[in-house]
Amino acid sequence: MFKEFKNFIMTGNVIDLAVAVILAGAVGLVVNGFVNDIMMPIVGYFTGGMDFSDMKYILSEAVVAADGTVESPESAIRYGAWINSIINLIIVGFVLFMIVKSYNKVRTKEEPAPEAPKGPTQEELLAEIRDLLKK
């Protein structure tokens, strides 16, 4: 019976984990859209119209042929995309923190089980045996 109960508990945990992974993916997409489409334009406005995703350090320029085709693409360190990722991480962390904090507030707290009544102490049992033997 314990094995069946353990399997039931494990199945519930696996389902909870699967739901959490799917929900985290959806929340990640929403937060990524929020960062890229709302937050970064606001940050760009306050930094003089700068778009962080376009910021890069070019190691080697792209080589363009006479007909306009790219023979070799540029090699660049895209630190602006990395800044976007850091802002995205901070916002995702904050959102998840708020979700967990609100979940902990709403969660029903289990009341501690009442203690089993304590039996007589060893001295009381010995005194009772002594009294019974005297009779």
Side-chain angles (χ1 to χ4, degrees), residues 75-124:
S75 177
I77 298 172
R78 299 178 8 154
Y79 63 92
W82 186 67
I83 292 172
N84 281 351
S85 297
I86 290 174
I87 293 171
N88 194 351
L89 174 69
I90 291 169
I91 292 174
V92 168
F94 178 73
V95 167
L96 289 178
F97 171 75
M98 295 306 290
I99 288 172
V100 169
K101 190 172 182 177
S102 63
Y103 173 74
N104 286 336
K105 278 186 177 180
V106 174
R107 183 175 60 174
T108 57
K109 295 179 180 173
E110 296 179 13
E111 295 182 20
E115 290 186 25
K118 293 185 178 181
T121 63
Q122 188 174 5
E123 289 81 18
E124 293 172 342

Side-chain angles (χ1 to χ4, degrees), residues 2 9 15 38 70 82 98-99 104 135:
F2 177 72
I9 295 298
I15 291 171
I38 296 174
V70 177
W82 186 67
M98 295 306 290
I99 288 172
N104 286 336
K135 289 184 183 181

